[in-house]
Amino acid sequence: MDLYMRHLRRHDKFKIGTSIARSFAFYDQCNYAIEQDISICVNGFGEGWIGVAWLDNGDPFAMGPDGLWSKSIKPAYTWKLRFNPIIQHRPRIALKTKNTSAKADLDPRFFQSVCQVSVHYGRFLSTSTAILDPFYAFSEIFTTVASSESQYLNMVERKIKSEIITVMRASKGEVSKDAEETEETSSTLSNLVYYKPFLDEHAQRLKENISSIEAQGDHKWPRVSDPKHQVDTVKQQEAATKSVTTLLKDFIYLLERARTLSESCDRGCRYCCK
């Protein structure tokens, strides 16, 4: 990743719209994770506010500097670089809209769901509340992040369970040769040790996300509850409060999952060392 970041800083490698990868984790021949950031800035603007969200995603990764994800992919086969979609659940969505399909000019070979965040953004938000409360206006970004994080943890959980089942089978004699049992145990131990730091890092990031949600972005951001508003904002306050409560519940759950999986890695390592 250090070499990738150095190439990314070069003017001949970095162009407007180049996708940025903050970290990379390889889990097996079919699964890897590329982490990207979303940054949000809000400032006062006249009697209201203006906000900007910067996303790391842009052009297909194959169009930017080579990274660890592209080492084994020849230029003629960059179509093999695929991303799992971010699945988001919205209650009774079929009853709320006639058309939720995203129609964007994107190459499906390199498709990233986050590229379409802006396509239908705000469709399920209250405009009157979003005008008064920037955190509420950006809440759907947090929802997307939570969905992505949940899918990442699902993938890692499957890998951890698979590793632990493998070493348990070996310990029960289902692997006939001692050499094979030792190899299985050693491989599982190495993998669990590899997974844990990523889970701990995710847990730390989730804690930071929770702090941002509790602060509703920043104490300087406008609030729908500000007394300066000269209109009745009871409904808007209810919508904003519900959004914060829901996001807190989701991110606290994700934090607990990340911590639990990290502890599972510890237990698996202890089991391997017995």
Side-chain angles (χ1 to χ4, degrees):
M1 285 300 295
D2 291 340
L3 179 61
Y4 165 79
M5 294 305 294
R6 287 201 298 271
H7 285 170
L8 198 62
R9 295 187 182 98
R10 290 172 51 183
H11 295 293
D12 60 328
K13 294 287 185 179
F14 184 83
K15 300 177 182 179
I16 295 176
T18 297
S19 288
I20 300 173
R22 303 291 176 170
S23 69
F24 174 84
F26 179 82
Y27 292 93
D28 56 40
Q29 293 181 342
C30 298
N31 294 284
Y32 58 86
I34 295 175
E35 295 188 21
Q36 297 176 294
D37 285 347
I38 298 177
S39 303
I40 300 174
C41 178
V42 172
N43 281 311
F45 186 75
E47 295 297 320
W49 60 274
I50 186 171
V52 178
W54 290 273
L55 281 68
D56 279 349
N57 66 286
D59 292 330
F61 277 105
M63 297 176 64
D66 287 338
L68 296 174
W69 52 88
S70 57
K71 291 296 183 182
S72 61
I73 301 176
K74 296 179 181 179
Y77 296 96
T78 51
W79 56 270
K80 290 185 177 181
L81 185 64
R82 295 178 180 272
F83 301 94
N84 290 327
I86 299 174
I87 308 299
Q88 298 190 59
H89 169 70
R90 296 188 184 278
R92 298 181 294 277
I93 187 173
L95 303 176
K96 294 183 178 181
T97 179
K98 294 181 180 179
N99 179 19
T100 57
S101 63
K103 299 178 180 179
D105 185 18
L106 295 172
D107 188 336
R109 297 175 299 173
F110 311 102
F111 177 73
Q112 286 181 271
S113 296
V114 73
C115 292
Q116 290 194 324
V117 167
S118 63
V119 176
H120 291 301
Y121 193 87
R123 174 172 290 191
F124 302 99
L125 296 177
S126 163
T127 303
S128 61
T129 306
I131 291 173
L132 302 175
D133 195 303
F135 182 79
Y136 175 82
F138 285 112
S139 61
E140 286 192 352
I141 289 180
F142 284 85
T143 301
T144 301
V145 170
S147 298
S148 177
E149 183 68 18
S150 179
Q151 288 177 236
Y152 168 79
L153 294 177
N154 287 343
M155 183 270 290
V156 177
E157 182 178 24
R158 290 194 299 270
K159 297 298 298 178
I160 292 174
K161 286 183 177 179
S162 177
E163 296 293 346
I164 293 177
I165 289 173
T166 298
V167 74
M168 289 180 67
R169 288 179 57 192
S171 67
K172 291 179 180 179
E174 295 183 29
V175 178
S176 57
K177 300 179 180 179
D178 292 341
E180 292 183 16
E181 179 179 345
T182 302
E183 183 179 347
E184 292 281 2
T185 301
S186 177
S187 175
T188 294
L189 179 60
S190 297
N191 288 337
L192 293 176
V193 169
Y194 175 77
Y195 300 154
K196 180 175 168 55
F198 291 109
L199 290 167
D200 291 340
E201 183 178 348
H202 275 247
Q204 180 59 38
R205 293 293 294 271
L206 287 167
K207 284 179 61 178
E208 295 171 1
N209 293 151
I210 290 172
S211 297
S212 296
I213 295 170
E214 290 176 334
Q216 295 183 49
D218 187 273
H219 70 280
K220 297 180 180 179
W221 288 17
R223 299 279 189 275
V224 69
S225 57
D226 287 348
K228 66 179 182 180
H229 299 310
Q230 302 299 317
V231 296
D232 184 8
T233 60
V234 174
K235 290 184 177 180
Q236 287 84 353
Q237 288 186 44
E238 290 177 353
T241 300
K242 181 180 179 180
S243 176
V244 172
T245 301
T246 300
L247 287 173
L248 272 178
K249 187 182 300 182
D250 289 343
F251 275 83
I252 289 173
Y253 165 75
L254 292 170
L255 175 59
E256 291 303 316
R257 280 198 67 193
R259 287 173 171 172
T260 299
L261 291 175
S262 178
E263 292 170 0
S264 295
C265 289
D266 286 334
R267 288 195 298 270
C269 289
R270 289 195 295 270
Y271 189 87
C272 290
C273 294
K274 287 183 179 180

